[in-house]
Amino acid sequence: MWEVIAFWVLAVLAVASGIAVFRVDSMARATFLLLASFLFVAGEMLVLELHYLGALTVLMMTAEMAIMAVFMIMFMMNPAGLEPMEMVHNKRGALVISVAVFVALTAAALVVPWPERAAPHPSDATHQLGEAIMRDKMLVMMVVGVGLFATMVAATLLATARGRYGEHAAPSRPEPSPHAHAHHHHAGGDR
Amino acid sequence: MAEPAPMWTVLVLPIVLGGLALFAASLNGVLTAVASGRRATLAEWAEPLRASARLLVRQRRTTFRADVVLRRVGIAGIVVAALLASVPTPLGGVAVADLPVGVVWFNAMEILLWALVWLTGWGGNSAFSLVGGYRFLAQALAYELPLMFALTAPPLAADSLRVGAIVQAQQDVWFALWMPLAFLVYLIGIVGVAFWGPLSPPAAADVAGGVTAELSGADRLVFLAGRYLMLAAGAAFAVPLFLGGGQGPLLPAWLWSLLKMAAVLAVLVWLRRFSLVRAERLMSWGWLVLLPVVLLQVLVVGVVVLLRG
């Protein structure tokens, strides 16, 4: 019984905070209302005993929205909502599109003939989830995952010029000046 | 391990975690006193309580056009996140809820501070507190990935994300002994999560207290309490993860848990003696040293698990 109540409360809250994203005039509020919406969805997953997916949604979305807030605020003229601002452009078109998408998705969710659960609830849903996604390719996926991650780290490393004060910072080579013989700077590092 | 926890554990959790947080605050005060040449008297140990009372009676200062809602969410949220993070942490053999994905749950709750600390910094509509909020995010980018990989090592060895199973798997050898690097990186990550000691630039004096700059009265009390609670939650979670949970001779399991938690917490508090690490240097260390080290550690654990069969 309480699962049904929790499901509906969370569902309403998720949609409501999703709508509120477009009703506020502060970038920070919009960003974190969107995060709130995601967290309510994560709550839905926990109610449905999809523990792993629920926790993962909290984890991914929080980190993502926190970083996104930085960029959204960086590129917005009125991030704090101290001046009047509209979150919506092309109001009518946007409304039509979003309502159409919402109706289509809801209809799909309601119309699709979902299979009845045949087996009892698995003791370890996380394990089953991993099996379902990767099957016997688990090892390959893991190795590829770590490989991709290492590549990303290495690529970032190679592409990054060190900060101004970093301990291992390579001092920028002074421009070869016509009076090179006059001064000879030795700046800290040896690279 | 799957028996449902009794309801009273819900009441015990805030008391135990609050006690640990108070211990951390007191120890911090005593270390400050000793460093400045005073004796560690009982009065010094009780200083956090007096400071709390002072903050409670002081009026709250508000800033011009502050975003009060976001700020309050940030301040109060940290306390909530710390309590929720400790839900799967067992005291002895009993946790509030031994979730099937306890380790991921802790990670998810701890990462809520990305949003909450930033919101506290943003909400004040003040440059210094905003700088503090941004500093926290910059730091988080450096420590979070190593912390996540450090968190994967014990579940890998125990073949379960359930904290109870991880404790069971340490009956012969504590994980801290054969995966010390993961333990070390975990502790560094927790110091970052609670922006404590060397990783406290988000609340450092050079930006007038950063995220705490505009906090006064009850706001300040709740925020600082949340920070100590988070530090305590991290220290407490290290015990089932790396230090064998409640295992130990003679004493009852819950007492062993508590003693180990206090010991880890004391080490973390003591780290305040080290000087601040700048965000960009932390980034270099995090990604060039901690991350490769912890990946190698996970590789070693994986190989051991495979060989053991």
Side-chain angles (χ1 to χ4, degrees), chain A residues 28-29 32 51 55 59 62-63 66 70 73 80 82 126 149 153 157 165, chain B residues 65 67 100-101 107-108 111-112 115 118-119 122 137 148 278 287-288:
Chain A
R29 288 189 174 194
F32 286 96
H51 296 109
L59 206 156
T62 308
V70 173
I73 282 161
L82 298 177
T126 311
F149 181 67
V153 174
L157 205 68
Y165 308 113
Chain B
R65 301 186 88 168
D67 196 329
V101 292
N107 200 180
I111 218 168
L112 284 177
W118 186 86
L119 282 174
W122 168 268
L137 283 184
M148 280 178 170
R278 287 192 309 264
W287 285 69
L288 297 181

PDB file of all heavy atoms in Angstrom, chain A residues 28-29 32 51 55 59 62-63 66 70 73 80 82 126 149 153 157 165, chain B residues 65 67 100-101 107-108 111-112 115 118-119 122 137 148 278 287-288:
ATOM      1  N   ALA A  28      20.121  29.291 -11.257  1.00  0.00           N
ATOM      2  CA  ALA A  28      20.487  28.350 -10.186  1.00  0.00           C
ATOM      3  C   ALA A  28      19.253  27.558  -9.756  1.00  0.00           C
ATOM      4  O   ALA A  28      19.304  26.339  -9.600  1.00  0.00           O
ATOM      5  CB  ALA A  28      21.070  29.106  -8.997  1.00  0.00           C
ATOM      6  N   ARG A  29      18.132  28.274  -9.597  1.00  0.00           N
ATOM      7  CA  ARG A  29      16.909  27.567  -9.182  1.00  0.00           C
ATOM      8  C   ARG A  29      16.455  26.587 -10.244  1.00  0.00           C
ATOM      9  O   ARG A  29      16.038  25.466  -9.933  1.00  0.00           O
ATOM     10  CB  ARG A  29      15.803  28.569  -8.900  1.00  0.00           C
ATOM     11  CG  ARG A  29      16.044  29.328  -7.622  1.00  0.00           C
ATOM     12  CD  ARG A  29      14.841  30.157  -7.258  1.00  0.00           C
ATOM     13  NE  ARG A  29      15.037  30.765  -5.949  1.00  0.00           N
ATOM     14  CZ  ARG A  29      14.075  31.322  -5.242  1.00  0.00           C
ATOM     15  NH1 ARG A  29      12.852  31.349  -5.721  1.00  0.00           N
ATOM     16  NH2 ARG A  29      14.323  31.845  -4.077  1.00  0.00           N
ATOM     17  N   PHE A  32      18.639  23.431 -10.155  1.00  0.00           N
ATOM     18  CA  PHE A  32      18.469  22.522  -9.026  1.00  0.00           C
ATOM     19  C   PHE A  32      17.035  22.014  -8.900  1.00  0.00           C
ATOM     20  O   PHE A  32      16.810  20.978  -8.279  1.00  0.00           O
ATOM     21  CB  PHE A  32      19.008  23.157  -7.752  1.00  0.00           C
ATOM     22  CG  PHE A  32      20.513  23.156  -7.781  1.00  0.00           C
ATOM     23  CD1 PHE A  32      21.221  24.263  -8.197  1.00  0.00           C
ATOM     24  CD2 PHE A  32      21.208  22.002  -7.479  1.00  0.00           C
ATOM     25  CE1 PHE A  32      22.599  24.235  -8.282  1.00  0.00           C
ATOM     26  CE2 PHE A  32      22.585  21.961  -7.555  1.00  0.00           C
ATOM     27  CZ  PHE A  32      23.286  23.091  -7.955  1.00  0.00           C
ATOM     28  N   HIS A  51      17.407  -0.869  -6.657  1.00  0.00           N
ATOM     29  CA  HIS A  51      18.310  -0.124  -5.781  1.00  0.00           C
ATOM     30  C   HIS A  51      19.501   0.453  -6.522  1.00  0.00           C
ATOM     31  O   HIS A  51      19.867   1.608  -6.337  1.00  0.00           O
ATOM     32  CB  HIS A  51      18.804  -1.027  -4.648  1.00  0.00           C
ATOM     33  CG  HIS A  51      17.703  -1.477  -3.751  1.00  0.00           C
ATOM     34  ND1 HIS A  51      17.243  -2.762  -3.734  1.00  0.00           N
ATOM     35  CD2 HIS A  51      16.953  -0.798  -2.870  1.00  0.00           C
ATOM     36  CE1 HIS A  51      16.264  -2.877  -2.864  1.00  0.00           C
ATOM     37  NE2 HIS A  51      16.058  -1.696  -2.324  1.00  0.00           N
ATOM     38  N   ALA A  55      20.268   4.455  -6.856  1.00  0.00           N
ATOM     39  CA  ALA A  55      21.461   5.083  -6.282  1.00  0.00           C
ATOM     40  C   ALA A  55      22.320   5.702  -7.378  1.00  0.00           C
ATOM     41  O   ALA A  55      22.853   6.805  -7.233  1.00  0.00           O
ATOM     42  CB  ALA A  55      22.263   4.048  -5.488  1.00  0.00           C
ATOM     43  N   LEU A  59      23.581   9.567  -7.926  1.00  0.00           N
ATOM     44  CA  LEU A  59      25.017   9.826  -8.049  1.00  0.00           C
ATOM     45  C   LEU A  59      25.342  10.609  -9.326  1.00  0.00           C
ATOM     46  O   LEU A  59      25.958  11.683  -9.292  1.00  0.00           O
ATOM     47  CB  LEU A  59      25.716   8.462  -8.065  1.00  0.00           C
ATOM     48  CG  LEU A  59      27.145   8.347  -7.595  1.00  0.00           C
ATOM     49  CD1 LEU A  59      27.390   6.921  -7.148  1.00  0.00           C
ATOM     50  CD2 LEU A  59      28.091   8.677  -8.703  1.00  0.00           C
ATOM     51  N   THR A  62      23.410  14.233  -9.637  1.00  0.00           N
ATOM     52  CA  THR A  62      23.888  15.289  -8.745  1.00  0.00           C
ATOM     53  C   THR A  62      25.195  15.864  -9.253  1.00  0.00           C
ATOM     54  O   THR A  62      25.354  17.093  -9.373  1.00  0.00           O
ATOM     55  CB  THR A  62      24.070  14.738  -7.323  1.00  0.00           C
ATOM     56  OG1 THR A  62      22.876  14.093  -6.932  1.00  0.00           O
ATOM     57  CG2 THR A  62      24.389  15.850  -6.353  1.00  0.00           C
ATOM     58  N   ALA A  63      26.136  14.987  -9.569  1.00  0.00           N
ATOM     59  CA  ALA A  63      27.426  15.465 -10.060  1.00  0.00           C
ATOM     60  C   ALA A  63      27.233  16.241 -11.356  1.00  0.00           C
ATOM     61  O   ALA A  63      27.782  17.332 -11.544  1.00  0.00           O
ATOM     62  CB  ALA A  63      28.361  14.278 -10.269  1.00  0.00           C
ATOM     63  N   ALA A  66      25.491  19.678 -10.830  1.00  0.00           N
ATOM     64  CA  ALA A  66      26.360  20.634 -10.141  1.00  0.00           C
ATOM     65  C   ALA A  66      27.342  21.250 -11.139  1.00  0.00           C
ATOM     66  O   ALA A  66      27.581  22.462 -11.135  1.00  0.00           O
ATOM     67  CB  ALA A  66      27.104  19.948  -8.997  1.00  0.00           C
ATOM     68  N   VAL A  70      27.469  25.329 -13.128  1.00  0.00           N
ATOM     69  CA  VAL A  70      28.624  26.205 -13.358  1.00  0.00           C
ATOM     70  C   VAL A  70      28.593  26.754 -14.781  1.00  0.00           C
ATOM     71  O   VAL A  70      28.726  27.957 -15.002  1.00  0.00           O
ATOM     72  CB  VAL A  70      29.932  25.427 -13.104  1.00  0.00           C
ATOM     73  CG1 VAL A  70      31.127  26.271 -13.510  1.00  0.00           C
ATOM     74  CG2 VAL A  70      30.031  25.007 -11.658  1.00  0.00           C
ATOM     75  N   ILE A  73      25.458  29.046 -15.592  1.00  0.00           N
ATOM     76  CA  ILE A  73      25.591  30.374 -15.001  1.00  0.00           C
ATOM     77  C   ILE A  73      26.654  31.178 -15.727  1.00  0.00           C
ATOM     78  O   ILE A  73      26.532  32.388 -15.932  1.00  0.00           O
ATOM     79  CB  ILE A  73      25.876  30.235 -13.500  1.00  0.00           C
ATOM     80  CG1 ILE A  73      24.566  29.902 -12.807  1.00  0.00           C
ATOM     81  CG2 ILE A  73      26.508  31.478 -12.931  1.00  0.00           C
ATOM     82  CD1 ILE A  73      24.702  29.323 -11.466  1.00  0.00           C
ATOM     83  N   ALA A  80      21.204  34.903 -11.610  1.00  0.00           N
ATOM     84  CA  ALA A  80      20.681  34.865 -10.249  1.00  0.00           C
ATOM     85  C   ALA A  80      19.221  35.227 -10.164  1.00  0.00           C
ATOM     86  O   ALA A  80      18.637  35.196  -9.097  1.00  0.00           O
ATOM     87  CB  ALA A  80      21.492  35.799  -9.366  1.00  0.00           C
ATOM     88  N   LEU A  82      18.025  38.164 -10.588  1.00  0.00           N
ATOM     89  CA  LEU A  82      17.865  39.481  -9.993  1.00  0.00           C
ATOM     90  C   LEU A  82      17.146  40.431 -10.949  1.00  0.00           C
ATOM     91  O   LEU A  82      16.633  41.458 -10.550  1.00  0.00           O
ATOM     92  CB  LEU A  82      19.231  40.055  -9.610  1.00  0.00           C
ATOM     93  CG  LEU A  82      19.975  39.220  -8.548  1.00  0.00           C
ATOM     94  CD1 LEU A  82      21.345  39.808  -8.268  1.00  0.00           C
ATOM     95  CD2 LEU A  82      19.181  39.132  -7.271  1.00  0.00           C
ATOM     96  N   THR A 126      20.928  -6.366  -8.718  1.00  0.00           N
ATOM     97  CA  THR A 126      22.074  -5.731  -9.365  1.00  0.00           C
ATOM     98  C   THR A 126      22.819  -6.727 -10.247  1.00  0.00           C
ATOM     99  O   THR A 126      23.186  -6.432 -11.382  1.00  0.00           O
ATOM    100  CB  THR A 126      23.024  -5.169  -8.300  1.00  0.00           C
ATOM    101  OG1 THR A 126      22.273  -4.414  -7.372  1.00  0.00           O
ATOM    102  CG2 THR A 126      24.077  -4.297  -8.930  1.00  0.00           C
ATOM    103  N   PHE A 149      38.400   4.677 -20.203  1.00  0.00           N
ATOM    104  CA  PHE A 149      38.636   5.655 -19.143  1.00  0.00           C
ATOM    105  C   PHE A 149      40.101   6.075 -19.119  1.00  0.00           C
ATOM    106  O   PHE A 149      40.419   7.269 -19.065  1.00  0.00           O
ATOM    107  CB  PHE A 149      38.223   5.056 -17.798  1.00  0.00           C
ATOM    108  CG  PHE A 149      38.408   5.998 -16.660  1.00  0.00           C
ATOM    109  CD1 PHE A 149      37.634   7.141 -16.571  1.00  0.00           C
ATOM    110  CD2 PHE A 149      39.374   5.772 -15.705  1.00  0.00           C
ATOM    111  CE1 PHE A 149      37.814   8.029 -15.530  1.00  0.00           C
ATOM    112  CE2 PHE A 149      39.551   6.652 -14.655  1.00  0.00           C
ATOM    113  CZ  PHE A 149      38.770   7.779 -14.576  1.00  0.00           C
ATOM    114  N   VAL A 153      41.680   9.844 -19.667  1.00  0.00           N
ATOM    115  CA  VAL A 153      42.597  10.499 -18.727  1.00  0.00           C
ATOM    116  C   VAL A 153      43.882  10.884 -19.447  1.00  0.00           C
ATOM    117  O   VAL A 153      44.364  12.013 -19.335  1.00  0.00           O
ATOM    118  CB  VAL A 153      42.906   9.574 -17.533  1.00  0.00           C
ATOM    119  CG1 VAL A 153      43.964  10.198 -16.645  1.00  0.00           C
ATOM    120  CG2 VAL A 153      41.648   9.307 -16.746  1.00  0.00           C
ATOM    121  N   LEU A 157      45.322  14.582 -20.188  1.00  0.00           N
ATOM    122  CA  LEU A 157      46.651  14.886 -19.669  1.00  0.00           C
ATOM    123  C   LEU A 157      47.530  15.489 -20.745  1.00  0.00           C
ATOM    124  O   LEU A 157      48.211  16.500 -20.545  1.00  0.00           O
ATOM    125  CB  LEU A 157      47.255  13.570 -19.182  1.00  0.00           C
ATOM    126  CG  LEU A 157      48.306  13.672 -18.122  1.00  0.00           C
ATOM    127  CD1 LEU A 157      47.640  14.164 -16.861  1.00  0.00           C
ATOM    128  CD2 LEU A 157      48.920  12.318 -17.911  1.00  0.00           C
ATOM    129  N   TYR A 165      50.463  27.967 -11.585  1.00  0.00           N
ATOM    130  CA  TYR A 165      51.237  27.783 -10.365  1.00  0.00           C
ATOM    131  C   TYR A 165      51.557  26.327 -10.065  1.00  0.00           C
ATOM    132  O   TYR A 165      52.163  26.042  -9.048  1.00  0.00           O
ATOM    133  CB  TYR A 165      50.474  28.360  -9.177  1.00  0.00           C
ATOM    134  CG  TYR A 165      50.016  29.765  -9.392  1.00  0.00           C
ATOM    135  CD1 TYR A 165      48.667  30.078  -9.502  1.00  0.00           C
ATOM    136  CD2 TYR A 165      50.947  30.789  -9.529  1.00  0.00           C
ATOM    137  CE1 TYR A 165      48.260  31.367  -9.705  1.00  0.00           C
ATOM    138  CE2 TYR A 165      50.545  32.086  -9.736  1.00  0.00           C
ATOM    139  CZ  TYR A 165      49.200  32.367  -9.823  1.00  0.00           C
ATOM    140  OH  TYR A 165      48.798  33.649 -10.021  1.00  0.00           O
TER     141      TYR A 165
ATOM    142  N   ARG B  65      19.537  40.588  -0.948  1.00  0.00           N
ATOM    143  CA  ARG B  65      18.965  39.775  -2.028  1.00  0.00           C
ATOM    144  C   ARG B  65      19.526  38.354  -2.054  1.00  0.00           C
ATOM    145  O   ARG B  65      19.829  37.811  -3.116  1.00  0.00           O
ATOM    146  CB  ARG B  65      19.158  40.454  -3.378  1.00  0.00           C
ATOM    147  CG  ARG B  65      18.515  41.826  -3.440  1.00  0.00           C
ATOM    148  CD  ARG B  65      18.599  42.408  -4.816  1.00  0.00           C
ATOM    149  NE  ARG B  65      17.466  42.017  -5.633  1.00  0.00           N
ATOM    150  CZ  ARG B  65      17.175  42.574  -6.797  1.00  0.00           C
ATOM    151  NH1 ARG B  65      17.923  43.532  -7.274  1.00  0.00           N
ATOM    152  NH2 ARG B  65      16.138  42.185  -7.493  1.00  0.00           N
ATOM    153  N   ASP B  67      19.448  34.337  -1.927  1.00  0.00           N
ATOM    154  CA  ASP B  67      18.463  33.333  -2.338  1.00  0.00           C
ATOM    155  C   ASP B  67      18.245  32.413  -1.142  1.00  0.00           C
ATOM    156  O   ASP B  67      18.893  31.379  -0.989  1.00  0.00           O
ATOM    157  CB  ASP B  67      18.959  32.551  -3.559  1.00  0.00           C
ATOM    158  CG  ASP B  67      17.823  31.791  -4.218  1.00  0.00           C
ATOM    159  OD1 ASP B  67      16.888  31.389  -3.491  1.00  0.00           O
ATOM    160  OD2 ASP B  67      17.865  31.618  -5.440  1.00  0.00           O
ATOM    161  N   PRO B 100      21.066  -3.610  -0.393  1.00  0.00           N
ATOM    162  CA  PRO B 100      21.786  -4.493  -1.314  1.00  0.00           C
ATOM    163  C   PRO B 100      22.899  -3.755  -2.062  1.00  0.00           C
ATOM    164  O   PRO B 100      23.814  -4.379  -2.580  1.00  0.00           O
ATOM    165  CB  PRO B 100      20.712  -4.973  -2.301  1.00  0.00           C
ATOM    166  CG  PRO B 100      19.417  -4.524  -1.751  1.00  0.00           C
ATOM    167  CD  PRO B 100      19.655  -3.491  -0.713  1.00  0.00           C
ATOM    168  N   VAL B 101      22.801  -2.424  -2.150  1.00  0.00           N
ATOM    169  CA  VAL B 101      23.835  -1.659  -2.851  1.00  0.00           C
ATOM    170  C   VAL B 101      24.398  -0.593  -1.904  1.00  0.00           C
ATOM    171  O   VAL B 101      24.610   0.543  -2.280  1.00  0.00           O
ATOM    172  CB  VAL B 101      23.291  -1.000  -4.133  1.00  0.00           C
ATOM    173  CG1 VAL B 101      22.955  -2.046  -5.159  1.00  0.00           C
ATOM    174  CG2 VAL B 101      22.078  -0.142  -3.835  1.00  0.00           C
ATOM    175  N   ASN B 107      28.086   6.342  -1.691  1.00  0.00           N
ATOM    176  CA  ASN B 107      28.682   7.195  -2.721  1.00  0.00           C
ATOM    177  C   ASN B 107      27.679   8.249  -3.207  1.00  0.00           C
ATOM    178  O   ASN B 107      27.994   9.430  -3.335  1.00  0.00           O
ATOM    179  CB  ASN B 107      29.134   6.303  -3.883  1.00  0.00           C
ATOM    180  CG  ASN B 107      30.166   6.975  -4.764  1.00  0.00           C
ATOM    181  OD1 ASN B 107      30.631   6.397  -5.725  1.00  0.00           O
ATOM    182  ND2 ASN B 107      30.556   8.199  -4.444  1.00  0.00           N
ATOM    183  N   ALA B 108      26.438   7.824  -3.429  1.00  0.00           N
ATOM    184  CA  ALA B 108      25.417   8.737  -3.946  1.00  0.00           C
ATOM    185  C   ALA B 108      25.090   9.828  -2.930  1.00  0.00           C
ATOM    186  O   ALA B 108      24.908  10.992  -3.287  1.00  0.00           O
ATOM    187  CB  ALA B 108      24.152   7.949  -4.307  1.00  0.00           C
ATOM    188  N   ILE B 111      27.957  12.338  -2.582  1.00  0.00           N
ATOM    189  CA  ILE B 111      28.116  13.224  -3.733  1.00  0.00           C
ATOM    190  C   ILE B 111      27.047  14.331  -3.732  1.00  0.00           C
ATOM    191  O   ILE B 111      27.188  15.325  -4.442  1.00  0.00           O
ATOM    192  CB  ILE B 111      28.079  12.409  -5.049  1.00  0.00           C
ATOM    193  CG1 ILE B 111      29.086  12.978  -6.048  1.00  0.00           C
ATOM    194  CG2 ILE B 111      26.708  12.413  -5.678  1.00  0.00           C
ATOM    195  CD1 ILE B 111      29.333  12.110  -7.235  1.00  0.00           C
ATOM    196  N   LEU B 112      26.012  14.190  -2.907  1.00  0.00           N
ATOM    197  CA  LEU B 112      25.008  15.261  -2.800  1.00  0.00           C
ATOM    198  C   LEU B 112      25.663  16.570  -2.353  1.00  0.00           C
ATOM    199  O   LEU B 112      25.147  17.657  -2.623  1.00  0.00           O
ATOM    200  CB  LEU B 112      23.912  14.882  -1.805  1.00  0.00           C
ATOM    201  CG  LEU B 112      22.875  13.867  -2.278  1.00  0.00           C
ATOM    202  CD1 LEU B 112      21.913  13.537  -1.156  1.00  0.00           C
ATOM    203  CD2 LEU B 112      22.102  14.409  -3.480  1.00  0.00           C
ATOM    204  N   ALA B 115      26.194  19.458  -4.815  1.00  0.00           N
ATOM    205  CA  ALA B 115      25.116  20.427  -4.985  1.00  0.00           C
ATOM    206  C   ALA B 115      24.957  21.283  -3.721  1.00  0.00           C
ATOM    207  O   ALA B 115      24.823  22.498  -3.811  1.00  0.00           O
ATOM    208  CB  ALA B 115      23.806  19.694  -5.291  1.00  0.00           C
ATOM    209  N   TRP B 118      27.742  23.940  -2.908  1.00  0.00           N
ATOM    210  CA  TRP B 118      27.666  25.010  -3.903  1.00  0.00           C
ATOM    211  C   TRP B 118      26.451  25.899  -3.643  1.00  0.00           C
ATOM    212  O   TRP B 118      26.529  27.126  -3.739  1.00  0.00           O
ATOM    213  CB  TRP B 118      27.614  24.424  -5.324  1.00  0.00           C
ATOM    214  CG  TRP B 118      27.689  25.485  -6.357  1.00  0.00           C
ATOM    215  CD1 TRP B 118      28.825  26.034  -6.883  1.00  0.00           C
ATOM    216  CD2 TRP B 118      26.586  26.175  -6.973  1.00  0.00           C
ATOM    217  NE1 TRP B 118      28.502  27.019  -7.776  1.00  0.00           N
ATOM    218  CE2 TRP B 118      27.138  27.125  -7.857  1.00  0.00           C
ATOM    219  CE3 TRP B 118      25.199  26.079  -6.862  1.00  0.00           C
ATOM    220  CZ2 TRP B 118      26.343  27.968  -8.630  1.00  0.00           C
ATOM    221  CZ3 TRP B 118      24.413  26.928  -7.618  1.00  0.00           C
ATOM    222  CH2 TRP B 118      24.984  27.853  -8.490  1.00  0.00           C
ATOM    223  N   LEU B 119      25.314  25.267  -3.310  1.00  0.00           N
ATOM    224  CA  LEU B 119      24.099  26.038  -3.035  1.00  0.00           C
ATOM    225  C   LEU B 119      24.286  26.961  -1.835  1.00  0.00           C
ATOM    226  O   LEU B 119      23.834  28.106  -1.849  1.00  0.00           O
ATOM    227  CB  LEU B 119      22.925  25.095  -2.769  1.00  0.00           C
ATOM    228  CG  LEU B 119      22.292  24.456  -4.004  1.00  0.00           C
ATOM    229  CD1 LEU B 119      21.240  23.444  -3.585  1.00  0.00           C
ATOM    230  CD2 LEU B 119      21.680  25.500  -4.904  1.00  0.00           C
ATOM    231  N   TRP B 122      26.331  29.810  -3.090  1.00  0.00           N
ATOM    232  CA  TRP B 122      25.588  30.631  -4.037  1.00  0.00           C
ATOM    233  C   TRP B 122      24.511  31.458  -3.335  1.00  0.00           C
ATOM    234  O   TRP B 122      24.329  32.649  -3.616  1.00  0.00           O
ATOM    235  CB  TRP B 122      24.938  29.728  -5.094  1.00  0.00           C
ATOM    236  CG  TRP B 122      23.935  30.410  -5.953  1.00  0.00           C
ATOM    237  CD1 TRP B 122      22.594  30.487  -5.731  1.00  0.00           C
ATOM    238  CD2 TRP B 122      24.173  31.117  -7.163  1.00  0.00           C
ATOM    239  NE1 TRP B 122      21.989  31.181  -6.729  1.00  0.00           N
ATOM    240  CE2 TRP B 122      22.933  31.588  -7.627  1.00  0.00           C
ATOM    241  CE3 TRP B 122      25.314  31.390  -7.910  1.00  0.00           C
ATOM    242  CZ2 TRP B 122      22.801  32.320  -8.789  1.00  0.00           C
ATOM    243  CZ3 TRP B 122      25.183  32.122  -9.072  1.00  0.00           C
ATOM    244  CH2 TRP B 122      23.944  32.580  -9.502  1.00  0.00           C
ATOM    245  N   LEU B 137      33.612  22.589  -5.842  1.00  0.00           N
ATOM    246  CA  LEU B 137      33.395  21.804  -7.073  1.00  0.00           C
ATOM    247  C   LEU B 137      34.719  21.495  -7.751  1.00  0.00           C
ATOM    248  O   LEU B 137      34.941  20.382  -8.235  1.00  0.00           O
ATOM    249  CB  LEU B 137      32.483  22.568  -8.025  1.00  0.00           C
ATOM    250  CG  LEU B 137      31.000  22.544  -7.685  1.00  0.00           C
ATOM    251  CD1 LEU B 137      30.210  23.252  -8.761  1.00  0.00           C
ATOM    252  CD2 LEU B 137      30.503  21.119  -7.539  1.00  0.00           C
ATOM    253  N   MET B 148      35.770   7.135  -5.846  1.00  0.00           N
ATOM    254  CA  MET B 148      34.838   6.135  -6.386  1.00  0.00           C
ATOM    255  C   MET B 148      35.548   4.805  -6.641  1.00  0.00           C
ATOM    256  O   MET B 148      35.024   3.740  -6.309  1.00  0.00           O
ATOM    257  CB  MET B 148      34.236   6.627  -7.697  1.00  0.00           C
ATOM    258  CG  MET B 148      33.110   7.598  -7.525  1.00  0.00           C
ATOM    259  SD  MET B 148      32.566   8.114  -9.168  1.00  0.00           S
ATOM    260  CE  MET B 148      31.095   8.986  -8.747  1.00  0.00           C
ATOM    261  N   ARG B 278      46.301  23.657  -2.842  1.00  0.00           N
ATOM    262  CA  ARG B 278      45.564  24.436  -3.844  1.00  0.00           C
ATOM    263  C   ARG B 278      44.860  23.499  -4.813  1.00  0.00           C
ATOM    264  O   ARG B 278      45.319  22.397  -5.094  1.00  0.00           O
ATOM    265  CB  ARG B 278      46.520  25.350  -4.610  1.00  0.00           C
ATOM    266  CG  ARG B 278      46.998  26.532  -3.812  1.00  0.00           C
ATOM    267  CD  ARG B 278      47.677  27.509  -4.745  1.00  0.00           C
ATOM    268  NE  ARG B 278      48.677  26.851  -5.570  1.00  0.00           N
ATOM    269  CZ  ARG B 278      49.970  26.822  -5.253  1.00  0.00           C
ATOM    270  NH1 ARG B 278      50.400  27.394  -4.176  1.00  0.00           N
ATOM    271  NH2 ARG B 278      50.822  26.213  -6.042  1.00  0.00           N
ATOM    272  N   TRP B 287      44.702  13.222 -10.305  1.00  0.00           N
ATOM    273  CA  TRP B 287      44.603  12.509 -11.580  1.00  0.00           C
ATOM    274  C   TRP B 287      45.916  11.852 -12.003  1.00  0.00           C
ATOM    275  O   TRP B 287      45.907  10.894 -12.754  1.00  0.00           O
ATOM    276  CB  TRP B 287      44.102  13.451 -12.676  1.00  0.00           C
ATOM    277  CG  TRP B 287      42.640  13.712 -12.536  1.00  0.00           C
ATOM    278  CD1 TRP B 287      42.045  14.433 -11.544  1.00  0.00           C
ATOM    279  CD2 TRP B 287      41.599  13.217 -13.370  1.00  0.00           C
ATOM    280  NE1 TRP B 287      40.684  14.422 -11.716  1.00  0.00           N
ATOM    281  CE2 TRP B 287      40.376  13.696 -12.829  1.00  0.00           C
ATOM    282  CE3 TRP B 287      41.567  12.431 -14.523  1.00  0.00           C
ATOM    283  CZ2 TRP B 287      39.149  13.397 -13.399  1.00  0.00           C
ATOM    284  CZ3 TRP B 287      40.338  12.145 -15.093  1.00  0.00           C
ATOM    285  CH2 TRP B 287      39.146  12.628 -14.532  1.00  0.00           C
ATOM    286  N   LEU B 288      47.045  12.380 -11.528  1.00  0.00           N
ATOM    287  CA  LEU B 288      48.333  11.799 -11.944  1.00  0.00           C
ATOM    288  C   LEU B 288      48.842  10.773 -10.953  1.00  0.00           C
ATOM    289  O   LEU B 288      49.601   9.881 -11.319  1.00  0.00           O
ATOM    290  CB  LEU B 288      49.387  12.902 -12.108  1.00  0.00           C
ATOM    291  CG  LEU B 288      49.086  13.925 -13.203  1.00  0.00           C
ATOM    292  CD1 LEU B 288      50.191  14.941 -13.293  1.00  0.00           C
ATOM    293  CD2 LEU B 288      48.906  13.226 -14.534  1.00  0.00           C
TER     294      LEU B 288
END
